[in-house]
Amino acid sequence: MVTGIHIPEEEILVDILTRLPVKSLLRFKCVSESWKTLISDPYFKRKHLNHAKNKLNFQKFLFDTRSPGKGYDFYCASLSPNGLFNDFRRLDWPSVSTPFYGFKVYCCCDALFLIGIHTENSYSLNEPSMLLLWNPSTSESMVLPRLGSPLQVSTYGLGYDSISDDYKVLRIDQEGMAPDEILALKSGSWRKIDHPSIRSDGDGFTMFGRECLPFVHGAFHWLGFRSFMKESLDSFSISDETYGRIPLPKNVRIDPESSELSFMPVEVGMSVLRGMLCLFNNNTMIFNLWIMKEYGVQESWTKLLTISSNGASLILPKYRFSNGKVLLWYEVDFIKRTIYRTSDGLTDQIWPFNCDDIDPATIIYDEFVYTESLI
């Protein structure tokens, strides 16, 4: 006699719920106290996020804007397989009790956005007076502990430490003069990194690139340019707090001064596409994109794209689809006239995406593809 395999009802329920969008799960908290407890459980939130990663229907595109006479707004859209945006909606602003006159979205990790808020007490135009974490999927936000000593220009990164099950924020002085600082959310306070940075090697240092600190394989990454035309790709492990150096592609110079078109401005930066570290540069004529297929292995660097810049002053890679296409953000004529184009050049999205709710004179400031989550 053959007996059926018994699967616990709770296990079936968890499997079903992890496949649902965040909006539905927030609504289902009202079904019962047991459902609310389950959906609020950290284990369930992490399981839901792990399922959602690389699932296109969970990928959202967030951008912040400024419209004449209307001020700042956040918008969210869905990605479709052909690279088009749809389902536009305006998002409610995260709660900020202090009046402010500006902000900067630095980065995103697991749908948590790190936002710098500028108030009248800001030390400089490039340094926020407070930092905010915000999840647009759940509309939850929190103000982070006060920053350490003021700096002229800092770069920030946000990452998840799987060893300590904690989110951490890294702050780096772009000029390499001040010690790096780190904030673990569970500790609730900033502290200076105990051991010296590899940036303090007596050879001079300037961080280059407009992007934040890309986070992949448990480490933050950044490009450094030293004296005597030396470039480096540096890293900081979030768990053991050690510095490292990732080899750049062989026979590739990314320094703007070494470009064959040195009379043209060259933008250089880094990003993460489908869990792989990427390196890119462009001038108004050509855009190059390299991807590191095996983390830390120099031989695994592969040139993914070399395409015409079509006159764009800046091109940033935003997302790589499962079919290999890359969603690219173009800034034209240095005036924030924004174009979104897939790497095959067949699909264009020109701001304001034919969205009736958005003023055509609106300017985009920051944009991120993120995975919806309950974190």
Side-chain angles (χ1 to χ4, degrees):
M1 176 176 164
V2 179
T3 59
I5 299 175
H6 175 70
I7 301 177
E9 290 185 7
E10 184 174 345
E11 187 175 327
I12 296 175
L13 178 62
V14 169
D15 184 64
I16 294 173
L17 293 182
T18 53
R19 302 171 186 272
L20 299 181
V22 171
K23 185 177 180 180
S24 298
L25 293 173
L26 294 177
R27 189 169 65 249
F28 290 165
K29 280 187 173 184
C30 300
V31 171
S32 67
E33 192 64 33
S34 62
W35 278 42
K36 180 180 179 180
T37 301
L38 172 62
I39 296 171
S40 303
D41 183 81
Y43 171 79
F44 176 82
K45 292 180 180 181
R46 183 64 51 185
K47 186 178 180 66
H48 178 269
L49 174 63
N50 290 336
H51 178 270
K53 288 181 177 179
N54 295 322
K55 300 286 186 182
L56 187 60
N57 58 317
F58 283 96
Q59 308 307 308
K60 302 296 179 182
F61 196 84
L62 179 136
F63 48 96
D64 61 81
T65 67
R66 184 167 187 175
S67 304
K70 293 183 179 181
Y72 299 104
D73 277 309
F74 281 106
Y75 285 89
C76 176
S78 298
L79 283 177
S80 62
N82 59 4
L84 297 173
F85 303 114
N86 50 47
D87 300 327
F88 281 87
R89 61 187 178 94
R90 183 176 173 275
L91 300 173
D92 292 330
W93 254 86
S95 177
V96 181
S97 58
T98 305
F100 66 95
Y101 63 85
F103 70 95
K104 167 68 177 176
V105 182
Y106 289 106
C107 52
C108 173
C109 177
D110 297 345
L112 297 177
F113 284 84
L114 181 65
I115 304 175
I117 304 295
H118 293 265
T119 68
E120 61 182 10
N121 297 321
S122 295
Y123 177 71
S124 73
L125 293 176
N126 298 308
E127 273 292 280
S129 56
M130 63 184 293
L131 290 173
L132 186 77
L133 269 189
W134 174 51
N135 185 339
S137 307
T138 63
S139 300
E140 295 173 310
S141 62
M142 64 177 289
V143 176
L144 297 183
R146 291 185 63 86
L147 295 164
S149 56
L151 301 173
Q152 286 293 338
V153 184
S154 294
T155 297
Y156 295 87
L158 171 67
Y160 173 67
D161 182 358
S162 60
I163 302 299
S164 61
D165 186 29
D166 197 4
Y167 286 89
K168 297 180 179 180
V169 180
L170 182 66
R171 181 195 193 198
I172 287 183
D173 176 17
Q174 286 196 8
E175 297 179 347
M177 303 296 292
D180 301 334
E181 296 179 90
I182 193 166
L183 166 69
L185 295 192
K186 288 183 178 179
S187 71
S189 61
W190 290 90
R191 61 178 174 80
K192 292 180 172 60
I193 306 299
D194 292 335
H195 36 279
S197 166
I198 57 175
R199 300 180 299 128
S200 305
D201 55 9
D203 195 22
F205 174 84
T206 301
M207 180 178 290
F208 195 85
R210 294 176 50 156
E211 294 296 83
C212 64
L213 304 176
F215 183 76
V216 67
H217 281 270
F220 297 107
H221 301 81
W222 61 90
L223 287 170
F225 288 87
R226 291 163 167 77
S227 58
F228 307 111
M229 308 300 291
K230 290 194 297 185
E231 310 135 344
S232 66
L233 199 171
D234 300 331
S235 67
F236 177 79
S237 173
I238 197 173
S239 296
D240 57 15
E241 299 187 3
T242 57
Y243 294 90
R245 192 158 284 168
I246 305 295
L248 289 165
K250 289 182 178 180
N251 303 318
V252 171
R253 293 301 306 273
I254 57 174
D255 192 329
E257 297 298 330
S258 68
S259 170
E260 294 178 2
L261 303 172
S262 57
F263 59 91
M264 294 183 176
V266 177
E267 289 286 348
V268 182
M270 298 178 61
S271 65
V272 176
L273 295 176
R274 298 189 79 83
M276 289 182 280
L277 199 61
C278 298
L279 174 70
F280 61 88
N281 64 13
N282 82 278
N283 52 43
T284 54
M285 295 184 65
I286 196 166
F287 171 79
N288 297 302
L289 175 64
W290 295 267
I291 191 166
M292 193 176 223
K293 292 186 174 181
E294 187 176 349
Y295 182 73
V297 178
Q298 185 178 39
E299 290 73 20
S300 73
W301 279 111
T302 303
K303 179 171 277 192
L304 193 64
L305 290 175
T306 296
I307 59 176
S308 171
S309 296
N310 293 320
S313 54
L314 176 64
I315 299 177
L316 300 177
K318 290 298 175 181
Y319 185 74
R320 189 182 184 194
F321 295 91
S322 58
N323 60 8
K325 291 183 182 179
V326 180
L327 179 66
L328 300 168
W329 178 91
Y330 286 65
E331 180 183 290
V332 183
D333 302 330
F334 299 96
I335 57 173
K336 296 287 184 180
R337 183 162 66 86
T338 299
I339 299 173
Y340 292 90
R341 177 178 291 140
T342 51
S343 54
D344 58 7
L346 298 179
T347 303
D348 279 4
Q349 280 287 341
I350 301 176
W351 177 256
F353 317 113
N354 300 319
C355 180
D356 296 334
D357 187 44
I358 303 176
D359 189 328
T362 295
I363 296 175
I364 299 178
Y365 281 89
D366 302 291
E367 59 290 308
F368 297 86
V369 175
Y370 69 100
T371 302
E372 278 198 310
S373 86
L374 292 159
I375 302 297

